[in-house]
Amino acid sequence: MNFKTLSFLCILFSAINVIGQEVLEEQGDQPGQMRKDDHYGIFTLGFFQPITFGNNFAHEGLSQKGGWSFDFLFNVAESKILLGLNCTYFKNQVIQPSLVGNYKNTNITSIGPQFGYHFITQRHWRATAVMGIGAVIYRSSYDNEIFSDNGTSLWLKPTLSYQFTKNFGVFGSISYRHDFLNIDAPPGYNAFFKNANYIGLSTGVRIII
């Protein structure tokens, strides 16, 4: 993670913390107080749009087409600590075959556990931040040929949501994601082909049961 990305993430988390304190003051609740109706399963499903950056094959040779992301989270006992699972799927299209190879498109799927913290737990406003690690597969195709590369995905994702009712709400999130791929690359090109950096934007529905 470069210095600019780290600075961006620090600013983002600081902003979430400030928003959380303002919401707590407005609603009259004490910081750290967990609302009793929060001890349920939390499900989110939404549109996911990746934005690539850096010197790597995903940024230089592929055009991102978007997809979806699913999260399941639950509070551990009476704390604000969260455990759960994430599954994300999106597509891309080759725009520089001279750099990445002679194929047309790639479907990318990742799944893995995640843990985090519930910063805001109010009647309407909720905010969480999670980190996760999981398996990722890049499944590519050209005509009738299909091949794949696998690896490991790491992500960091803060989310802000608004509950219209106890059970139904909407959310928005921005995430940092880094994929490490098991690709055989020529000497000198390992960093270019074995890594991919993304900023992910997501919005959708949030359900508490």
Side-chain angles (χ1 to χ4, degrees):
M1 184 184 302
N2 60 36
F3 178 75
K4 290 183 179 180
T5 303
L6 181 60
S7 300
F8 171 77
L9 294 175
C10 290
I11 294 172
L12 183 62
F13 275 104
S14 298
I16 287 178
N17 188 54
V18 171
I19 293 173
Q21 296 300 320
E22 291 178 351
V23 172
L24 289 170
E25 292 174 0
E26 289 177 2
Q27 298 193 355
D29 291 337
Q30 297 298 318
Q33 178 182 354
M34 172 68 75
R35 298 185 68 89
K36 293 183 179 180
D37 66 351
D38 279 353
H39 297 291
Y40 296 84
I42 302 170
F43 298 87
T44 64
L45 178 64
F47 173 76
F48 177 80
Q49 178 61 54
I51 302 171
T52 58
F53 66 95
N55 182 27
N56 58 78
F57 76 97
H59 181 60
E60 301 292 342
L62 305 176
S63 174
Q64 312 305 315
K65 297 302 181 182
W68 53 264
S69 183
F70 169 80
D71 287 281
F72 167 67
L73 294 166
F74 64 92
N75 291 100
V76 178
E78 296 297 317
S79 73
K80 291 188 176 183
I81 296 173
L82 298 166
L83 293 177
L85 181 74
N86 170 269
C87 182
T88 300
Y89 169 85
F90 59 96
K91 300 179 180 180
N92 59 42
Q93 185 176 3
V94 173
I95 56 175
Q96 291 290 346
S98 61
L99 288 177
V100 299
N102 190 24
Y103 61 97
K104 291 184 177 180
N105 53 64
T106 300
N107 297 328
I108 302 170
T109 305
S110 63
I111 185 170
Q114 57 187 356
F115 70 94
Y117 192 77
H118 218 149
F119 287 98
I120 304 175
T121 56
Q122 300 308 301
R123 184 182 303 277
H124 294 296
W125 290 101
R126 316 289 175 96
T128 62
V130 299
M131 297 180 64
I133 179 172
V136 63
I137 183 169
Y138 284 58
R139 187 178 178 87
S140 305
S141 63
Y142 178 76
D143 291 337
N144 294 325
E145 298 283 337
I146 297 177
F147 56 96
S148 62
D149 297 293
N150 55 48
T152 301
S153 183
L154 299 175
W155 61 88
L156 175 64
K157 179 170 66 174
T159 300
L160 182 65
S161 62
Y162 183 85
Q163 294 293 130
F164 295 103
T165 68
K166 175 182 175 181
N167 301 109
F168 180 78
V170 294
F171 76 92
S173 71
I174 182 170
S175 60
Y176 169 76
R177 167 175 170 153
H178 187 93
D179 290 350
F180 302 88
L181 298 175
N182 302 319
I183 296 177
D184 293 328
Y189 291 90
N190 282 332
F192 184 81
F193 286 105
K194 290 191 173 185
N195 299 275
N197 295 311
Y198 302 93
I199 294 295
L201 303 178
S202 185
T203 184
V205 296
R206 185 179 193 265
I207 298 174
I208 299 177
I209 60 172

